[in-house]
Amino acid sequence: MGKLLIANWKMNPKKESEALTLARASDASHVVICPPFPFIATAGKALKKAKLGSQDLFYEASGPYTGEVSSEELKSMGVSYVILGHSDRRRLFGEIDEIIAKKVSAALLNGITPILCVGETFADRETNQTFAVLDRQLKMVLSQLPAGTKEELIICYEPVWAISTNLKEGMEPPTAENIAQVVEYLKSIVGNSGVSVSFIYGGSVNSTDLKSYLDIPGISGALVGAASLKPVEFKKMIKIAK
Ligand code: PEP
């Protein structure tokens, strides 16, 4: 089976017609497409092989939560994956570990596979806080999981500083060795808690370096932002991950 590619379109594209074209061009069995909310239905109808994902959800089932979307609502639209704890949400929308943990639980209880993003900022890295941050982010989620969770949790190691929009000129993304070390560390936190986890990597991944990330022991896929918006580039990535 191919490795998993999660396409995080973020707040792109601008028009439904463009979302449709992009979804059709990205349709492959080992791909998860995460469009913005307004295009979820359109993308869902266009996909024959790829799975549908959401970029967020709210943990309550229904009620007076203006602007929010529940896991039940997403499930009814055919969504089977959800990105949670992305650094955009943590940084811009004040999402703290407690909220992210509740969202992960809500997703699992409704049969949606969470893709939990964890990762250090540049400042964390500079002050040797990487492992402390990962520890805090993952432990909070694990401590709140619904009892007897059998569903899979995908953990995405995404160093915030290595995301394409943050990576500064002259800076190199983490090495395969760094990533393998982090995966080992995250595995040790999960330990024998009984939760089934898999690990993916995210941060400026493109067709040139995808294979080197997918070859890292313990890595079973990639979260792809900017490159997932370029159909020719993403098609190359689909072939590599197959
Ligand atoms: C992301 O922000 O989730 C991401 C993977 O972005 P990029 O690939 O553009 O670094």
Side-chain angles (χ1 to χ4, degrees):
M1 206 183 96
K3 300 236 177 176
L4 198 60
L5 288 184
I6 317 274
N8 179 11
W9 291 359
K10 309 186 191 181
M11 203 168 72
N12 301 287
K14 292 192 181 114
K15 293 193 180 133
E16 189 185 29
S17 55
E18 292 168 26
L20 186 60
T21 307
L22 193 54
R24 285 185 180 139
S26 318
D27 194 17
S29 56
H30 52 300
V31 169
V32 178
I33 309 285
C34 303
F37 287 137
F39 304 144
I40 279 193
T42 304
K45 282 179 200 142
L47 299 177
K48 302 270 178 289
K49 299 177 187 158
K51 303 278 186 311
L52 196 55
S54 169
Q55 296 174 22
D56 192 24
L57 56 69
F58 189 55
Y59 51 78
E60 294 291 354
S62 64
Y65 306 104
T66 304
E68 294 299 328
V69 176
S70 73
S71 40
E72 285 92 334
E73 288 165 342
L74 291 168
K75 187 86 189 174
S76 78
M77 298 303 292
V79 166
S80 50
Y81 289 82
V82 61
I83 299 170
L84 293 172
H86 190 279
S87 61
D88 291 340
R89 307 259 0 134
R90 293 180 192 262
R91 181 174 56 94
L92 296 169
F93 304 100
E95 282 199 15
I96 53 173
D97 295 319
E98 285 82 352
I99 292 176
I100 295 162
K102 285 185 179 185
K103 291 184 173 191
V104 170
S105 291
L108 288 167
L109 286 169
N110 287 288
I112 297 180
T113 305
I115 301 151
L116 170 69
C117 297
V118 294
E120 78 285 2
T121 62
F122 185 67
D124 296 329
R125 180 177 181 247
E126 290 296 286
T127 51
N128 290 323
Q129 291 300 303
T130 298
F131 290 97
V133 167
L134 295 169
D135 192 84
R136 191 199 71 224
Q137 292 177 335
L138 183 53
K139 276 188 183 157
M140 175 58 73
V141 167
L142 293 176
S143 71
Q144 307 283 320
L145 288 181
T149 297
K150 294 276 181 296
E151 290 77 10
E152 190 193 17
L153 172 65
I154 299 176
I155 299 174
C156 177
Y157 173 49
E158 183 166 70
V160 182
W161 55 272
I163 292 175
S164 62
T165 42
N166 300 340
L167 196 63
K168 294 197 183 74
E169 184 105 359
M171 265 181 76
E172 292 296 324
T175 63
E177 212 178 344
N178 295 151
I179 297 168
Q181 212 182 6
V182 166
V183 169
E184 277 312 305
Y185 183 71
L186 294 172
K187 265 189 200 162
S188 75
I189 298 175
V190 176
N192 45 18
S193 59
V195 190
S196 152
V197 291
S198 60
F199 296 91
I200 64 173
Y201 173 75
S204 301
V205 181
N206 56 47
S207 64
T208 311
D209 54 23
L210 175 64
K211 186 170 182 320
S212 64
Y213 290 118
L214 297 181
D215 283 346
I216 298 171
I219 289 290
S220 52
L223 178 63
V224 185
S228 73
L229 297 169
K230 300 175 191 155
V232 175
E233 170 72 354
F234 197 59
K235 274 195 168 154
K236 282 190 205 163
M237 297 174 82
I238 290 174
K239 269 196 188 154
I240 293 165
K242 207 165 179 176

